[in-house]
Amino acid sequence: MTKELLSRCGGKCELCGSESNLAAFELPESKGYGDARIMICDTCTGQIKTPATIDMNHWRCLNDSMWSQVPAVQVMAYRMLKQISTEAWARDLLDMLYLDEDMQAWAEAGIEEVDEDFVPHKDSNGAILEAGDNVVIIKDLNVKGTTFTAKRGTTVRGISLTNNPEHIEGRVNGTRIVILTCFVKKVMPSEE
């Protein structure tokens, strides 16, 4: 770690603000764009390097870091927001983030192509589900590996999405379970 990076970051992750386990990280596809190093924590590093482990709520920190005066931090914020753009709040932040032409080219250079075969998670009525949504179970479900039944009308708060668009995860009776999306109905904000 260089003294310059440590001084610039003030002992905090330049993306999420964490003060523990900091390390320099060089943005992929950064050749020719100046200083492409940022100081980030091991949580951010792990999720950047292993997209399957992304915790959408962790990246709400980009609401602050995307306004950094450091070009490399802005570019990394843009890349992460693009990666999680299935989340409405991430799309909103992307709409607010302005990058000049050169920075935009740098940011886009490090983004993998979006999978055109992407299938969104949908509830029984066809409403698109997003991580953190609340849903209501519409049918009594026997939960495999447990002794209880997830009752019709049970609200599951703060769901997580899985790699399978027909499955979501959530807590019922204190147990984290996988639920088929065809057996849930999204709770709209006006219904909460």
Side-chain angles (χ1 to χ4, degrees):
M1 291 188 239
T2 66
K3 290 180 183 178
E4 179 186 325
L5 264 180
L6 282 172
S7 172
R8 180 180 82 198
C9 75
K12 294 181 178 179
C13 174
E14 291 184 278
L15 294 178
C16 75
S18 172
E19 297 180 1
S20 60
N21 300 320
L22 299 178
F25 179 84
E26 182 153 352
L27 275 64
E29 303 293 329
S30 60
K31 299 175 186 124
Y33 293 106
D35 189 4
R37 294 172 304 144
I38 59 177
M39 188 68 73
I40 59 176
C41 67
D42 59 349
T43 301
C44 289
T45 302
Q47 292 187 38
I48 290 168
K49 290 184 175 180
T50 314
T53 65
I54 287 180
D55 171 10
M56 300 295 185
N57 287 324
H58 173 77
W59 294 104
R60 289 183 182 269
C61 61
L62 297 175
N63 186 43
D64 296 324
S65 56
M66 70 185 228
W67 304 111
S68 171
Q69 296 300 309
V70 179
V73 174
Q74 289 181 330
V75 166
M76 193 70 236
Y78 177 89
R79 290 178 181 176
M80 289 309 300
L81 287 170
K82 274 294 242 196
Q83 192 163 357
I84 61 174
S85 62
T86 57
E87 299 288 316
W89 61 266
R91 287 191 303 273
D92 291 344
L93 291 180
L94 264 175
D95 289 343
M96 288 189 279
L97 182 59
Y98 171 78
L99 300 177
D100 67 34
E101 205 172 292
D102 290 339
M103 282 180 55
Q104 183 79 31
W106 177 15
E108 295 288 344
I111 297 176
E112 295 178 18
E113 289 298 314
V114 175
D115 183 5
E116 291 182 13
D117 296 328
F118 171 75
V119 178
H121 291 69
K122 293 183 179 181
D123 74 0
S124 59
N125 295 328
I128 294 178
L129 297 170
E130 297 180 10
D133 282 347
N134 298 333
V135 297
V136 173
I137 296 174
I138 61 170
K139 175 185 176 189
D140 287 353
L141 302 173
N142 291 325
V143 181
K144 292 181 182 177
T146 68
T147 58
F148 70 89
T149 300
K151 296 288 186 187
R152 176 180 167 188
T154 301
T155 300
V156 182
R157 299 190 180 284
I159 63 166
S160 298
L161 304 181
T162 67
N163 291 335
N164 183 338
E166 296 178 0
H167 296 161
I168 58 170
E169 292 183 354
R171 288 200 177 278
V172 175
N173 293 345
T175 303
R176 188 157 192 84
I177 63 170
V178 174
I179 308 167
L180 292 174
T181 56
C182 63
F183 296 130
V184 299
K185 176 184 172 285
K186 182 175 182 173
V187 178
M188 298 301 172
S190 60
E191 300 171 332
E192 293 183 293

